[in-house]
Amino acid sequence: MDFKRYLKEYPNKEGRFGKFGGAYLPEELVPAFAEINEAYLTICHSSQFINELRRIRREFQGRPTPVYHCERLSRKIGNCQIYLKREDLNHSGAHKLNHCMGEGLLAKFMGKKRIIAETGAGQHGVALATAAAFFGLDCTIYMGEVDIKKQAPNVARMKVLGAKVVPVSRGAKTLKEAVDAAFEDYLANYKETIYCIGSAVGPHPFPMMVRDFQTVVGIEAREQFKDMMGFLPDVVTACVGGGSNAIGMFVPFLDDPVEIVGIEPLGLGKKLGDHAASMSYGEEGVMHGFDSIMLKDAAGEPAPVYSVASGLDYPSVGPEHAFLREIGRVKYDTATDEEAIGAFFKLSRYEGIIPALESSHAVAYAMRRAKEMDTGSILVNLSGRGDKDLDYVIEKYGTGEKYLEFA
């Protein structure tokens, strides 16, 4: 599965990865999404656009981010070595800026004056507010009231950067409802606005665009690990909610003899409503304009979901992830709240790196897998830093002393 050939073949012209993806849109939005697709396919072949994006990544974002060996943590577990792709060191604290700066450039090219988005953990909101400030665009962010309370530091950052943060009080008051509200705004204001979807989800061309902008993570990581070690890791892993950080990490490794594993949030357990592990417990369905795997209630509607990590509590997953699982190239596993919290405190205490709760799910899996493997290497995409989670974690879990022991 040649990387460059894969990017050309998937998605197809209809925006499908196999049977997944597509664009299920209100009639009024069909021309708007066609305009975005045409503009993106134009600028992604423009040397001026590519060179400007490279300059932004180098001078503004601080790319490339490093690959780091967790020597102390690995030694505590056994002989298998854990490495991190440090997206927490990307400007604004997470991988999200990789596609937000690209989407900001696209908005400028199209002559749009306003960008809008949803956010769960707040990292996409912060990244888009950062891009809006950089490019001189108006910015509105929709965020569920539950997530606003959990992610107060990121809400403050968005406001300082000049974004308008709109609380969403309907339903579960989390990420799905924020997406609903942002789509409603876009439907009413699409002529002067671009809806910059925050993950590798939504109608075509957004899963493709976000994937393309995020592959910088996997391209860098692959080269860095090989330069560091002389070979590739045995396992590559990342957390999966909508799946932007994971798809950016995974795709450049598709042609390599490495195991690729996406980690979903199992939350409090397997009962519907206690988790957001759509790939593990969902079925095919359409929501928010795309066909993928989703968690459904008894009526076939999107089910209520939960995760300690606000950025993962989404009842579906990007269509490319559904496709990669169907063809057998990528596996999907889970980590519970307790496992993620344990990984959060262990990585903080033994490596001096405070991870985002989202990323902690992938770290938790890497720690569990390292025990099983005994030898070898695991490369984790540490998709974000945990500053945003500290108040919530300390209030609920204290300073985590009980999580520091190794079984």
Side-chain angles (χ1 to χ4, degrees), residues 40-164:
Y40 175 69
L41 293 178
T42 298
I43 64 171
C44 73
H45 293 99
S46 162
S47 61
Q48 184 177 356
F49 173 82
I50 297 300
N51 288 333
E52 177 63 6
L53 188 58
R54 286 175 175 169
R55 183 190 71 81
I56 288 169
R57 285 174 172 168
R58 181 179 64 252
E59 298 176 9
F60 183 68
Q61 293 183 230
R63 303 206 67 89
T65 59
V67 165
Y68 169 76
H69 179 204
C70 295
E71 186 175 358
R72 283 194 73 209
L73 183 66
S74 300
R75 193 163 59 243
K76 289 276 185 181
I77 297 168
N79 295 319
C80 183
Q81 303 303 303
I82 296 173
Y83 294 80
L84 307 177
K85 174 58 172 168
R86 296 289 307 277
E87 286 302 287
D88 59 312
L89 298 179
N90 191 30
H91 178 51
S92 78
H95 70 290
K96 296 289 188 179
L97 198 62
N98 298 329
H99 65 256
C100 286
M101 296 306 290
E103 289 171 340
L105 265 180
L106 178 64
K108 293 288 284 187
F109 174 79
M110 295 176 69
K112 304 296 185 181
K113 305 297 183 187
R114 179 174 178 258
I115 51 180
I116 63 171
E118 84 297 329
T119 195
Q123 286 299 145
H124 177 62
V126 168
L128 198 67
T130 300
F134 183 92
F135 291 111
L137 299 166
D138 290 336
C139 181
T140 300
I141 305 295
Y142 290 89
M143 191 172 189
E145 287 184 345
V146 169
D147 295 333
I148 285 175
K149 290 178 182 177
K150 288 172 67 176
Q151 306 293 345
N154 272 347
V155 175
R157 293 169 74 194
M158 285 182 263
K159 291 179 178 178
V160 167
L161 288 162
K164 178 183 178 183

Side-chain angles (χ1 to χ4, degrees), residues 6 8 27 49 115 117 122 152 259 271 289 293 311 342 364 377 388 400:
Y6 174 86
K8 288 183 178 180
E27 189 174 343
F49 173 82
I115 51 180
E259 186 178 351
K271 182 181 174 184
I293 302 299
S377 57
K388 66 184 178 62

Side-chain angles (χ1 to χ4, degrees), residues 70 73 84 343-353 355 382:
C70 295
L73 183 66
L84 307 177
F344 176 93
F345 283 115
K346 287 183 176 72
L347 189 64
S348 299
R349 189 66 61 90
Y350 296 117
E351 293 293 346
I353 299 170
L382 194 75

Side-chain angles (χ1 to χ4, degrees), residues 247-264:
I247 207 67
M249 184 69 161
F250 294 169
V251 169
F253 285 95
L254 291 179
D255 194 39
D256 295 314
V258 302
E259 186 178 351
I260 305 175
V261 188
I263 308 305
E264 297 190 296

Side-chain angles (χ1 to χ4, degrees), residues 138-292:
D138 290 336
C139 181
T140 300
I141 305 295
Y142 290 89
M143 191 172 189
E145 287 184 345
V146 169
D147 295 333
I148 285 175
K149 290 178 182 177
K150 288 172 67 176
Q151 306 293 345
N154 272 347
V155 175
R157 293 169 74 194
M158 285 182 263
K159 291 179 178 178
V160 167
L161 288 162
K164 178 183 178 183
V165 181
V166 180
V168 180
S169 58
R170 71 183 74 167
K173 307 175 186 178
T174 56
L175 184 56
K176 176 194 172 294
E177 290 74 26
V179 175
D180 293 339
F183 262 111
E184 290 168 8
D185 182 325
Y186 188 50
L187 186 59
N189 301 291
Y190 61 86
K191 290 184 179 179
E192 72 275 4
T193 299
I194 283 187
Y195 176 15
C196 297
I197 295 174
S199 192
V201 298
H204 178 67
F206 279 94
M208 172 183 69
M209 287 168 47
V210 172
R211 185 270 313 272
D212 291 354
F213 289 135
Q214 287 294 344
T215 54
V216 66
V217 178
I219 291 169
E220 287 179 5
R222 187 181 182 280
E223 293 177 357
Q224 290 165 323
F225 194 94
K226 200 166 185 179
D227 285 347
M228 182 185 292
M229 302 298 297
F231 50 81
L232 293 173
D234 295 291
V235 179
V236 173
T237 189
C239 66
V240 177
S244 58
N245 92 92
I247 207 67
M249 184 69 161
F250 294 169
V251 169
F253 285 95
L254 291 179
D255 194 39
D256 295 314
V258 302
E259 186 178 351
I260 305 175
V261 188
I263 308 305
E264 297 190 296
L266 192 56
L268 303 174
K270 298 178 182 180
K271 182 181 174 184
L272 192 66
D274 283 350
H275 64 82
S278 51
M279 293 285 276
S280 302
Y281 299 100
E283 57 187 280
E284 186 177 355
V286 176
M287 67 174 284
H288 292 150
F290 69 102
D291 184 327
S292 188

